[in-house]
Amino acid sequence: MVDASGREIFRSTQSTLTGGQLDSPDIEIMRDDLCRTLHEAAGDSVEYLFAVFSTPNFLGLDCWEVIYQQDEPYLGALVMGLREDAPAKVYLGFSDPAGADYDLGDVDGQKRLMAERVADGGWVLPELVNHMMDAGDFHFYRLCQVRMNSWSRGRAVLVGDAGYAVSPGTGQATTVAMLGAYVLAGELATQGDDVVAGMAAYEEELRDYVTRHQDIALEYDAKPGTPSGGVSSDQGGLPDFGSLTLPFHLKDYPALVRS
């Protein structure tokens, strides 16, 4: 973690911001690797919109994450480098209690909005913004929670953030979405041709788990200690996202294996 001048104010080789304690039983997978695996499994018939953006690894990061945070107004950056000779991944963010207006289909407008809010920040934010403007894998979203009375209607069903966003601020969105996809596939395979029954079983199996995650996210956001409102930890005042992961018992779905 660095300050506006780039001076290091905290370092840890026992934990990461995104994954928590390194000696935990959790397995952290780089988003690129996970997306590649899912893309190969699903084929070319699906439209894909990716998060974060890539930038040249001008900081020379090799298995390191660097975070910068600034208060009043809050803005920040997280740069992740897996290998020194590979592109880095960047998260940029700002806080706007009133809610910023933006067009979901206007990527260039979203980039301009981000640049307006963070380009004057400290550390290397101006350089990150310059790379962001040229990035082809940019994705912009609002940190929010989605609660719906039902995740399906007829033969249409929602999985992951579309139906039950926990809150990207807790680092649990991918975990919950992957579990949701597994349960949905398993219940649909179990119910055979009765798609509606499969969707209902999917929701019954997962609803309590998702609700508990959402409740924890609200409690997390309400606590003081970090600019995003999250709980403080011993890692330089940063939240321990790994501690927010809830256990879930994965059912065996013989019908899914057969299919």
Side-chain angles (χ1 to χ4, degrees), residues 73-76 92-96 100 110 113-115 117-118 140 143:
Y74 171 74
L75 55 87
L92 293 176
F94 62 88
S95 176
D96 186 342
Q110 295 165 16
L113 172 61
M114 180 64 73
R117 298 302 182 94
V118 307
F140 185 86
L143 295 176

Side-chain angles (χ1 to χ4, degrees), residues 18-70:
T18 55
Q21 296 296 318
L22 296 182
D23 60 359
S24 76
D26 293 340
I27 297 176
E28 294 296 316
I29 302 173
M30 288 295 289
R31 186 179 298 273
D32 284 0
D33 295 331
L34 177 61
C35 288
R36 186 177 303 108
T37 300
L38 296 176
H39 187 279
E40 291 173 353
D44 298 328
S45 61
V46 180
E47 180 184 4
Y48 300 90
L49 299 175
F50 295 104
V52 303
F53 68 89
S54 302
T55 181
N57 193 354
F58 64 90
L59 295 175
L61 302 178
D62 190 356
C63 291
W64 276 98
E65 300 175 346
V66 182
I67 185 172
Y68 167 71
Q69 297 180 148
Q70 177 177 312

Side-chain angles (χ1 to χ4, degrees), residues 9 14 22 28-29 36 53 58 76 79 83 88 97 100-101 121-122 129 141 148 170 178 182 189 200 213 228 234 247:
I9 56 178
Q14 284 76 47
L22 296 182
E28 294 296 316
I29 302 173
R36 186 177 303 108
F53 68 89
F58 64 90
V79 184
R83 299 193 315 273
D101 291 328
V129 166
Y141 59 87
M148 302 183 71
T170 62
M178 291 299 296
Y182 173 80
H213 257 300
S228 61
D234 293 333

Side-chain angles (χ1 to χ4, degrees), residues 48 53 57 68 81 83 107 110 134 138 140 150-151 154 158 162 176 181 185 195 213 222 240 256:
Y48 300 90
F53 68 89
N57 193 354
Y68 167 71
R83 299 193 315 273
V107 175
Q110 295 165 16
D134 296 327
F138 176 85
F140 185 86
S150 177
W151 301 335
L158 301 175
V176 176
V195 175
H213 257 300
D240 181 3
L256 181 61

Side-chain angles (χ1 to χ4, degrees), residues 14-241:
Q14 284 76 47
S15 65
T16 68
L17 174 67
T18 55
Q21 296 296 318
L22 296 182
D23 60 359
S24 76
D26 293 340
I27 297 176
E28 294 296 316
I29 302 173
M30 288 295 289
R31 186 179 298 273
D32 284 0
D33 295 331
L34 177 61
C35 288
R36 186 177 303 108
T37 300
L38 296 176
H39 187 279
E40 291 173 353
D44 298 328
S45 61
V46 180
E47 180 184 4
Y48 300 90
L49 299 175
F50 295 104
V52 303
F53 68 89
S54 302
T55 181
N57 193 354
F58 64 90
L59 295 175
L61 302 178
D62 190 356
C63 291
W64 276 98
E65 300 175 346
V66 182
I67 185 172
Y68 167 71
Q69 297 180 148
Q70 177 177 312
D71 293 326
E72 297 181 1
Y74 171 74
L75 55 87
L78 169 64
V79 184
M80 305 168 61
L82 183 61
R83 299 193 315 273
E84 189 172 1
D85 60 349
K89 300 298 181 182
V90 180
Y91 293 83
L92 293 176
F94 62 88
S95 176
D96 186 342
D101 291 328
Y102 63 96
D103 184 344
L104 291 172
D106 183 5
V107 175
D108 289 338
Q110 295 165 16
K111 287 183 177 181
R112 290 193 298 271
L113 172 61
M114 180 64 73
E116 291 169 1
R117 298 302 182 94
V118 307
D120 293 333
W123 189 41
V124 295
L125 261 65
E127 188 168 357
L128 292 175
V129 166
N130 287 336
H131 288 300
M132 176 195 72
M133 300 304 291
D134 296 327
D137 53 357
F138 176 85
H139 178 65
F140 185 86
Y141 59 87
R142 178 180 286 117
L143 295 176
C144 63
Q145 185 174 100
V146 176
R147 295 203 184 207
M148 302 183 71
N149 294 327
S150 177
W151 301 335
S152 65
R153 179 181 298 172
R155 295 175 63 87
V157 65
L158 301 175
V159 179
D161 283 355
Y164 38 86
V166 175
S167 169
T170 62
Q172 303 304 308
T174 301
T175 298
V176 176
M178 291 299 296
L179 284 172
Y182 173 80
V183 173
L184 175 60
E187 296 296 343
L188 286 174
T190 300
Q191 297 297 329
D193 294 334
D194 195 341
V195 175
V196 174
M199 292 179 180
Y202 148 70
E203 183 159 345
E204 181 179 358
E205 179 72 16
L206 204 65
R207 172 69 73 166
D208 180 65
Y209 171 78
V210 168
T211 300
R212 286 188 291 124
H213 257 300
Q214 292 177 324
D215 290 343
I216 287 176
L218 293 181
E219 295 172 4
Y220 165 87
D221 288 337
K223 292 181 180 179
T226 65
S228 61
V231 294
S232 292
S233 72
D234 293 333
Q235 49 180 30
L238 297 175
D240 181 3
F241 291 137

